[in-house]
Amino acid sequence: MLKVENVELQLPNFHLKEISFEVKENQICALLGPNGSGKTSLLNCIAGIYSFQKGNIYLNDHDIKLLSSKRLAQLIGYLPQKMGPSMSYAVREFVVTGLANQIGLFGCPQKRHYQKVLDCLQTLGISYLKDRFLKQLSGGEMQLVRLARVLVKGPKILLLDEPTTYLDLKNQVKIMNTIKGLAQKGITTLISLHDPNLASLYVDQIVLLKSGKILAQGATKTVLKKELIEELYEMPIKVIDVDGLRLIVGD
């Protein structure tokens, strides 16, 4: 379980204010909002990258401020929007770096570490990529490999910052189906998205962020309402219900 209570973060040009919400085990929660609304800043607070000034964040009832950096890294798998260059790696060598805390600073990966890598690649359906170099991968393949690097250590909480950005429709669906499958296996997932239609298809609940504040939160269909989405993005929209799904289109 992930629980955020009255969190406030003051940065030089931005302020997160009184952020509170909860995500239960097996659930996917989406952060929706325009650019600059605070989605990435909030994920950085939960991941322990930013030190917030007020409030509390709990992971399975553990206050993250009382956890060591090593323990926090064990509990959380964080996939940021961007990562540093690593194009010379083969896939399995790249994914095994996700076990750095288990291997040690000056240690070398052992057979058991590579077995974890192979198991993780198999879970994601990309075992065939294990010997390829990152520069040979498509955008969708690269995103799945990045996800494998996060998952290989067995986190309880998954934080994903816009994992479908720049992907075509096929790869967006593949990534989101993979994330849904992981949630069904018990991984609590918080994901930032730009597309409310992806949220409508895949997530259990939504937090709408605007200018560092929560505009609304709740079950997906409850939050994806015309008046709320128009206020969030400051544009006219239409809400269309088709076969039990709620779709958002520009008006």
Side-chain angles (χ1 to χ4, degrees), residues 17 21 48 68 84 97 100 112 116 167 172 202 217 223 225 231 236 251:
K17 307 167 189 175
F21 64 96
S68 67
T97 63
R112 66 180 184 278
K116 286 185 178 182
L167 298 183
Q172 286 184 30
Y202 289 100
Q217 62 175 297
V223 173
K225 292 182 177 179
E231 183 178 354
D251 191 354

Side-chain angles (χ1 to χ4, degrees), residues 19-248:
I19 304 296
S20 296
F21 64 96
E22 185 175 315
V23 190
K24 295 181 180 179
E25 187 179 5
N26 297 89
Q27 284 193 334
I28 304 175
C29 177
L31 301 174
L32 283 183
N35 291 334
S37 60
K39 301 187 297 296
T40 298
S41 294
L42 178 55
L43 291 175
N44 283 335
C45 287
I46 298 169
I49 297 170
Y50 286 172
S51 297
F52 48 95
Q53 287 77 32
K54 294 182 181 179
N56 297 285
I57 297 175
Y58 298 95
L59 304 179
N60 295 337
D61 296 323
H62 299 290
D63 188 334
I64 68 167
K65 290 183 178 179
L66 303 179
L67 296 175
S68 67
S69 57
K70 182 178 181 179
R71 180 57 179 154
L72 191 60
Q74 290 172 340
L75 288 171
I76 291 178
Y78 184 25
L79 185 66
Q81 291 183 44
K82 298 179 181 179
M83 295 181 67
S86 52
M87 303 306 286
S88 61
Y89 278 96
V91 165
R92 62 177 176 178
E93 299 297 337
F94 175 70
V95 174
V96 83
T97 63
L99 295 171
N101 284 341
Q102 298 179 27
I103 296 170
L105 183 60
F106 300 107
C108 293
Q110 304 297 313
K111 184 177 180 179
R112 66 180 184 278
H113 298 125
Y114 284 112
Q115 187 58 54
K116 286 185 178 182
V117 169
L118 294 176
D119 290 344
C120 187
L121 294 177
Q122 184 174 9
T123 297
L124 295 179
I126 53 173
S127 297
Y128 65 96
L129 296 177
K130 64 180 185 298
D131 295 319
R132 289 195 196 173
F133 286 92
L134 299 186
K135 63 183 178 182
Q136 299 174 312
L137 304 182
S138 69
E141 289 171 338
M142 184 63 201
Q143 199 68 320
L144 283 168
V145 168
R146 291 180 68 215
L147 183 58
R149 183 180 180 273
V150 170
L151 290 172
V152 71
K153 63 181 178 179
K156 301 299 182 184
I157 308 286
L158 194 58
L159 307 177
L160 306 172
D161 196 358
E162 299 180 16
T164 59
T165 300
Y166 307 125
L167 298 183
D168 61 26
L169 178 60
K170 179 180 178 180
N171 283 307
Q172 286 184 30
V173 170
K174 188 171 185 178
I175 290 290
M176 293 305 298
N177 280 336
T178 299
I179 293 166
K180 187 171 183 178
L182 293 169
Q184 290 171 346
K185 292 180 180 179
I187 298 180
T188 302
T189 304
L190 180 63
I191 178 173
S192 73
L193 292 170
H194 273 305
D195 187 349
N197 292 314
L198 278 179
S200 175
L201 288 167
Y202 289 100
V203 311
D204 302 295
Q205 63 185 82
I206 294 175
V207 176
L208 301 183
L209 282 177
K210 184 176 183 180
S211 301
K213 296 181 178 180
I214 291 181
L215 176 64
Q217 62 175 297
T220 300
K221 285 189 177 181
T222 301
V223 173
L224 289 183
K225 292 182 177 179
K226 176 179 172 65
E227 59 273 18
L228 286 174
I229 302 304
E230 286 185 334
E231 183 178 354
L232 182 69
Y233 292 107
E234 298 180 357
M235 61 174 288
I237 62 105
K238 288 182 180 178
V239 176
I240 303 172
D241 291 311
V242 181
D243 295 332
L245 299 175
R246 180 155 294 177
L247 301 179
I248 309 296

